[in-house]
C-alpha cells in the first residue's frame, strides 16, 4: 500500500511542479491548427474517394 501512495504522491508532484502546461493562447493556437489540418485531410480523403468512385463507375460502365 505504501508503494501505491508513494506513486500517487510522485505523480502529483511531477504534474504540479515539473510539467510545463501551455498557456491559453498557445492552446487556442494549437487547437486551431489541428482543426484546420483535420478539415484539409478530410477534404483530401473525400476527393480521393470521389475520384475512385468515378473511376470504378467508369470501368464498370465499359465492361
Amino acid at each position: 500500500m505504501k508503494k501505491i501512495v508513494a506513486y500517487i504522491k510522485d505523480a502529483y508532484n511531477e504534474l504540479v511542479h515539473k510539467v510545463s502546461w501551455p498557456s491559453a493562447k498557445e492552446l487556442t493556437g494549437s487547437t486551431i491548427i489541428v482543426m484546420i489540418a483535420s478539415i484539409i485531410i478530410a477534404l483530401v480523403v473525400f476527393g480521393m474517394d470521389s475520384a475512385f468512385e468515378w473511376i470504378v463507375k467508369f470501368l464498370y460502365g465499359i465492361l
Side-chain angles (χ1 to χ4, degrees):
M1 186 67 174
K2 289 182 181 181
K3 288 184 179 183
I4 295 172
V5 172
Y7 174 78
I8 292 172
K9 286 181 181 179
D10 288 341
Y12 175 80
N13 184 37
E14 186 169 341
L15 284 172
V16 172
H17 300 293
K18 295 181 182 178
V19 174
S20 80
W21 297 98
S23 67
K25 187 176 180 180
E26 291 172 334
L27 192 59
T28 302
S30 297
T31 302
I32 291 171
I33 290 171
V34 169
M35 289 175 64
I36 291 171
S38 297
I39 290 169
I40 291 171
I41 291 170
L43 291 173
V44 168
V45 170
F46 175 75
M48 291 171 56
D49 183 51
S50 297
F52 284 126
E53 178 185 8
W54 182 83
I55 291 169
V56 168
K57 284 182 179 179
F58 179 74
L59 290 174
Y60 280 133
I62 291 175
L63 299 175

